[in-house]
Amino acid sequence: MYTLITEKNHIQVRSVRGRNCKVPLPGPSVNCSRYWSHLILLSLCQVPLHIMSELSEYELEREANIARNRALLEQLGLDDTAGQLGVPKAKAPAKTKAKPIQPAKRVKREREVEAQAPRRQSSRLKKEVVDLNESPSKKRKREAEQEERRRKEEDERLEAEEKARVAKRPRHEDLDLDTLTDDPTPDEVTSLRSCFQSVTQISQPKRVGDRDAFVYDADKKDAAAVKDLRDKLQKLKVVARAKVTQDRVYSAAYHPEVSKDLIFFGDKHGQLGIWDARATPDEVADEDGDVAAADDKEGGKYWRLQQHWPATSKSSISSIKLDPIDSHSVFTTSYDCTIRRLSFVSGISQEIFSSDETLITSVDLPPGGNEMWISDAAGGLTHLDLRQDKSKARWYGLSDQKIGSVSINPTTPQFLLTASNNRQLKIWDSRKLATLGGASDAGEAVLTGAEFGFDTVQEFVESKKGAGCLRSEFAHGKSVSSAYWDPRGRSIVSTSYDDTLRLWDLDVSKYTSSSAFPSFTPFSRMKHNCQTGKWLTILRAVWTPNPDIYPHFTIANMDHSLDIVSCKGDLIARLSDRQRITAVQAVTCSHPGIVERAATGNASGRCVLWAPADL
């Protein structure tokens, strides 16, 4: 508390503590309000009065600025005098437990090896000192040596450039596990072979549902089935996390083995991550010798194989499919325009198909295996018989723009479902497509190794002979990201950039006819944010492949959660964990035989297993 007494040319300041001082009055050119604010501010900062009395106007303003800055630092938590200034301290942000899981091991990434050409040198520095008195024979010898050296350097340069070009080309030869793994250790390859051996003891073919399964006349039965499924799936928690791939996850597939959770993830740079999510992890210390805490360390074991080459974005693995006959091998499609099959029995990765310069977007196989339908960025579908040479594949131009996905009806394999960037979702009859080129339904031999462009297919579809080739079509608001059949072969779910999920329930009694479906309109439209942008993998609604449970699908949510939706459009569960999941789980898949299992992957290669907490 201060008492101010104005005198002739100064102010007498008296404090209750007995301190007195004289403060000069401001001159006529001084801003009085600012002067007194400075005076009060310095007094609040407990600047002694006798010091204030000795300060000039400039020094008084300087001390006031210092006081303001000190108050600002107090608010930023950089000093401990905020209480003295009366400025409330800012609350520290709440700490989150969501930390990136610590990789259990650092695996050297296999990168594109570019051989370096010999470095060019200055001609002046390379110039030799010539003896003016050298003989003609020595001169010829010296010139010959110079020519030989130049020729050798040129050969080395050309060889280095050729090696660089070869390093950028896809690998078409057969590859073993040692080649697929970068700097493998004997224990690493042995453990992977052991994992493969454990899932090849019995054959596990792809199971197909019944067309009439889970079809109820009363809505109450549907509601009861959804409730039963909701009771099981809402309890799923994050039970394991790991950085399975080095880069962004593009695709995923769940192995049907029930004794373990074996999941395959394909990333942006052609790497195939194999994750045994419930295996006992290895205790590996970091560079400082510390072992990560239980919540931060990785769960399970994983292996990374460079399935496609080069290790750049030109080799992104666009889709993964398990062999439907026995699940003893896995097929991967890549932007390097190749399809490879990795055998779990032999450990050999073999190329089964390649195109010239057309990106392969997806692939699907019927339950009987032995054939494959391949979609590409040129708007075509390729039919490949795995029992024949790949040169006999047939290509059909079904769209004037990219086809992002193809799906084969599991119960009626002749029906093909395509989703295209031209906004069209279409159902094709492959039996009619096979008649292009002269074959007929009477049993004539089908031509192989042929190509039919978009105009040719359109002309065929509009002709009398091609009637029934295009069974149905539906135009979306924007491009269709994906569309898939459910395990029963009667329901369809599509994902579109118009931020809408659409559901169809087809009349299976119309499947036996040869004409187009009388109506093809979705019965449900659900709003869902699909604007992933440049850095996230496209969201796709994927059916659970388990035919024994009520049909439902999984799709990522931009709110860092996993949505599970029934075939009737009911939201069954929205799984999230704000403490451990802080990224969009863009790629999803679920177990073909266990209800309470789902797996997701994000843009950094980190993957999550969702299962009961007491697993």
Side-chain angles (χ1 to χ4, degrees):
M1 187 71 178
Y2 297 94
T3 301
L4 304 180
I5 302 175
T6 305
E7 296 186 2
K8 184 176 181 180
N9 58 354
H10 66 274
I11 296 177
Q12 185 75 19
V13 182
R14 297 178 181 178
S15 69
V16 294
R17 296 184 180 181
R19 295 180 180 179
N20 301 327
C21 71
K22 295 180 180 180
V23 178
L25 288 171
S29 61
V30 177
N31 187 328
C32 293
S33 61
R34 186 173 62 178
Y35 180 87
W36 290 114
S37 66
H38 291 170
L39 182 65
I40 295 172
L41 182 61
L42 291 175
S43 64
L44 290 176
C45 295
Q46 295 184 350
V47 177
L49 296 178
H50 68 279
I51 294 179
M52 287 195 297
S53 64
E54 299 174 358
L55 298 179
S56 65
E57 179 186 351
Y58 169 79
E59 292 173 333
L60 195 65
E61 183 172 359
R62 177 177 177 274
E63 290 297 329
N65 287 335
I66 293 175
R68 291 193 194 94
N69 292 337
R70 185 179 302 137
L72 179 60
L73 294 178
E74 299 298 332
Q75 294 179 358
L76 297 177
L78 299 179
D79 204 346
D80 58 355
T81 59
Q84 299 175 4
L85 293 175
V87 180
K89 291 186 177 180
K91 293 184 178 180
K95 293 184 178 179
T96 177
K97 295 181 180 178
K99 298 180 180 179
I101 45 179
Q102 303 303 316
K105 52 188 176 181
R106 293 180 178 271
V107 180
K108 182 181 177 182
R109 180 57 195 262
E110 184 176 2
R111 293 292 183 183
E112 180 179 349
V113 179
E114 294 189 5
Q116 298 293 330
R119 180 176 296 182
R120 301 183 64 180
Q121 298 181 6
S122 169
S123 301
R124 179 181 60 82
L125 296 177
K126 293 193 302 181
K127 188 174 181 180
E128 298 180 1
V129 179
V130 179
D131 185 4
L132 299 178
N133 298 322
E134 69 176 346
S135 62
S137 60
K138 289 183 178 182
K139 182 179 180 180
R140 288 192 298 269
K141 182 179 180 181
R142 177 175 55 80
E143 292 177 348
E145 290 175 351
Q146 290 178 347
E147 182 64 26
E148 178 65 20
R149 187 164 52 250
R150 284 194 295 266
R151 186 187 61 78
K152 185 177 180 180
E153 291 176 356
E154 181 66 16
D155 291 343
E156 291 176 353
R157 185 184 65 81
L158 294 176
E159 182 181 358
E161 291 178 354
E162 180 61 23
K163 287 182 179 179
R165 284 193 293 268
V166 171
K168 295 180 181 179
R169 298 172 186 165
R171 298 183 295 196
H172 300 283
E173 66 274 14
D174 293 351
L175 308 171
D176 57 15
L177 293 180
D178 292 328
T179 305
L180 294 172
T181 308
D182 183 27
D183 294 335
T185 63
D187 292 341
E188 185 177 2
V189 176
T190 301
S191 63
L192 179 56
R193 291 187 184 276
S194 177
C195 179
F196 283 165
Q197 186 177 5
S198 64
V199 298
T200 56
Q201 298 299 320
I202 59 174
S203 176
Q204 301 185 73
K206 181 179 180 180
R207 297 186 301 146
V208 178
D210 184 0
R211 291 180 184 173
D212 298 323
F214 305 103
V215 178
Y216 306 115
D217 296 331
D219 293 338
K220 292 183 178 180
K221 291 186 177 180
D222 280 298
V226 170
K227 182 180 182 301
D228 180 63
L229 198 57
R230 183 177 288 121
D231 293 339
K232 296 179 180 179
L233 296 180
Q234 281 187 339
K235 299 177 181 179
L236 299 188
K237 304 294 182 182
V238 177
V239 298
R241 296 182 300 161
K243 186 173 173 57
V244 181
T245 62
Q246 196 78 9
D247 293 285
R248 186 206 305 184
V249 176
Y250 265 52
S251 53
Y254 218 123
H255 195 276
E257 174 61 39
V258 296
S259 64
K260 61 174 60 186
D261 291 282
L262 189 63
I263 314 161
F264 298 83
F265 293 96
D267 82 347
K268 181 179 180 179
H269 286 180
Q271 193 175 78
L272 178 65
I274 305 172
W275 188 28
D276 190 353
R278 284 195 291 150
T280 303
D282 298 328
E283 292 289 347
V284 179
D286 58 14
E287 297 175 352
D288 298 329
D290 300 327
V291 178
D295 292 339
D296 299 333
K297 68 180 180 181
E298 295 183 320
K301 294 182 179 179
Y302 61 83
W303 302 266
R304 296 170 178 170
L305 306 181
Q306 194 63 49
Q307 178 80 335
H308 294 269
W309 186 262
T312 66
S313 57
K314 296 180 180 179
S315 301
S316 305
I317 297 180
S318 52
S319 67
I320 302 175
K321 294 291 181 180
L322 290 163
D323 191 335
I325 297 178
D326 53 17
S327 299
H328 291 173
S329 57
V330 62
F331 297 92
T332 57
T333 67
S334 171
Y335 287 174
D336 67 0
C337 309
T338 66
I339 300 177
R340 300 191 72 91
R341 172 171 51 195
L342 174 63
S343 172
F344 303 157
V345 178
S346 64
I348 300 297
S349 173
Q350 182 183 21
E351 181 183 281
I352 62 171
F353 179 78
S354 64
S355 61
D356 294 334
E357 294 182 354
T358 305
L359 297 182
I360 298 174
T361 57
S362 71
V363 66
D364 201 8
L365 298 91
N370 297 325
E371 61 179 326
M372 176 183 292
W373 285 93
I374 308 161
S375 65
D376 57 51
L381 278 190
T382 300
H383 177 261
L384 175 66
D385 193 325
L386 300 177
R387 295 161 295 187
Q388 297 179 338
D389 186 81
K390 58 186 177 182
S391 61
K392 297 183 178 181
R394 288 164 59 90
W395 184 84
Y396 304 93
L398 303 186
S399 173
D400 57 348
Q401 297 184 35
K402 168 187 171 183
I403 294 180
S405 72
V406 58
S407 179
I408 300 176
N409 189 306
T411 57
T412 313
Q414 64 266 25
F415 289 160
L416 308 176
L417 182 65
T418 60
S420 175
N421 280 11
N422 66 358
R423 308 184 180 187
Q424 296 289 332
L425 180 148
K426 297 182 178 182
I427 300 178
W428 303 86
D429 192 332
S430 62
R431 296 171 300 181
K432 288 289 185 177
L433 285 175
T435 62
L436 268 171
S440 67
D441 295 332
E444 296 181 16
V446 177
L447 297 179
T448 57
E451 292 187 3
F452 304 96
F454 175 71
D455 294 336
T456 302
V457 174
Q458 287 297 106
E459 182 180 350
F460 173 75
V461 169
E462 296 170 0
S463 66
K464 183 178 180 180
K465 185 179 180 180
C469 181
L470 179 61
R471 299 299 295 264
S472 291
E473 61 181 322
F474 182 85
H476 290 59
K478 292 184 178 180
S479 62
V480 191
S481 309
S482 63
Y484 301 107
W485 294 99
D486 78 326
R488 304 172 302 169
R490 66 179 298 149
S491 293
I492 295 173
V493 61
S494 72
T495 314
S496 173
Y497 272 112
D498 62 4
D499 293 338
T500 305
L501 306 180
R502 293 172 174 83
L503 282 167
W504 286 260
D505 189 14
L506 303 187
D507 184 1
V508 296
S509 63
K510 305 296 183 181
Y511 284 9
T512 56
S513 66
S514 58
S515 59
F517 296 145
S519 64
F520 188 66
T521 304
F523 72 88
S524 176
R525 291 176 171 87
M526 296 169 289
K527 286 298 179 182
H528 191 87
N529 185 2
C530 298
Q531 302 303 314
T532 55
K534 180 180 180 180
W535 307 110
L536 289 178
T537 303
I538 297 173
L539 303 189
R540 294 180 173 88
V542 183
W543 294 100
T544 178
N546 190 345
D548 300 331
I549 58 176
Y550 193 78
H552 61 278
F553 60 86
T554 58
I555 184 171
N557 191 304
M558 294 296 288
D559 193 28
H560 303 175
S561 62
L562 172 65
D563 289 356
I564 305 178
V565 185
S566 74
C567 62
K568 296 297 183 181
D570 302 310
L571 180 62
I572 296 174
R574 176 163 290 169
L575 307 178
S576 63
D577 189 336
R578 302 301 179 191
Q579 299 298 319
R580 307 177 72 185
I581 305 296
T582 58
V584 178
Q585 305 298 299
V587 179
T588 70
C589 63
S590 51
H591 199 289
I594 304 177
V595 179
E596 300 95 341
R597 291 290 191 282
T600 57
N602 67 16
S604 66
R606 289 183 169 88
C607 304
V608 174
L609 174 65
W610 302 85
D614 57 351
L615 180 64

